[in-house]
Amino acid sequence: MRMAIDHAAVAQASGEVPVGAVLVRRDEVIATGANRPIASHDPTAHAEIEVLRAGGRAMNSYRLTDTTLYVTLEPCAMCASAIVHARVRRLVFGAWDPRAGAAGSIVDVFSLPGLNHRVDVFGGVLMEECTGLLKQFFDEKRG
């Protein structure tokens, strides 16, 4: 998670919302990512999507089985769905997102009935640090 926090800081330095992600398989970092929707002019360029894309290239597969995804913010519905479709085994996130979180805050995509894959989800890891980055970013934006 600390590595994901470092990538969130990189996103923040680029003017992006500070969210970072790291994909790990068997204690090996497969891919990293950070928010890039503003710079890339791509609304889907969330840290989770960036790391899933990089992970797919690194593993030469669209199935990211036996991986753990660390992300500093609770995924939105788009990212949560992509995590399920990628067959990520475990999701570990830091800050809860009461406005858009899809791991329990406004909806729990991971517990929807009928899904063909289940992800183990753990939220609140290093929550104070992850929340602090977001709070600082938005406090500065709002003046």
Side-chain angles (χ1 to χ4, degrees):
M1 183 61 80
R2 294 219 183 272
M3 187 181 288
I5 291 170
D6 291 343
H7 285 279
V10 170
Q12 182 173 10
S14 299
E16 302 280 357
V17 175
V19 180
V22 176
L23 186 66
V24 175
R25 186 174 189 204
R26 296 188 197 111
D27 298 326
E28 177 187 353
V29 174
I30 300 299
T32 61
N35 259 8
R36 295 182 350 100
I38 297 168
S40 67
H41 309 289
D42 179 356
T44 69
H46 292 191
E48 299 93 317
I49 301 299
E50 294 291 298
V51 81
L52 293 175
R53 289 175 178 157
R57 288 189 298 272
M59 293 177 64
N60 200 31
S61 176
Y62 69 104
R63 297 290 189 228
L64 305 176
T65 57
D66 299 323
T67 60
T68 299
L69 174 58
Y70 296 89
V71 63
T72 58
L73 180 63
E74 178 184 6
C76 69
M78 173 186 70
C79 293
S81 296
I83 291 164
V84 170
H85 286 289
R87 306 297 194 271
V88 170
R89 175 181 286 185
R90 180 174 296 116
L91 167 68
V92 179
F93 68 88
W96 293 89
D97 186 352
R99 293 179 183 222
S105 286
I106 62 167
V107 67
D108 188 353
V109 167
F110 300 102
S111 68
L112 292 174
L115 292 178
N116 60 348
H117 177 71
R118 294 287 171 207
V119 178
D120 295 329
V121 179
F122 302 93
V125 175
L126 297 180
M127 181 172 60
E128 292 80 18
E129 289 180 53
C130 296
T131 302
L133 276 173
L134 291 159
K135 183 177 178 349
Q136 176 190 14
F137 176 81
F138 286 111
D139 284 350
E140 288 173 7
K141 286 285 185 192
R142 294 178 184 126

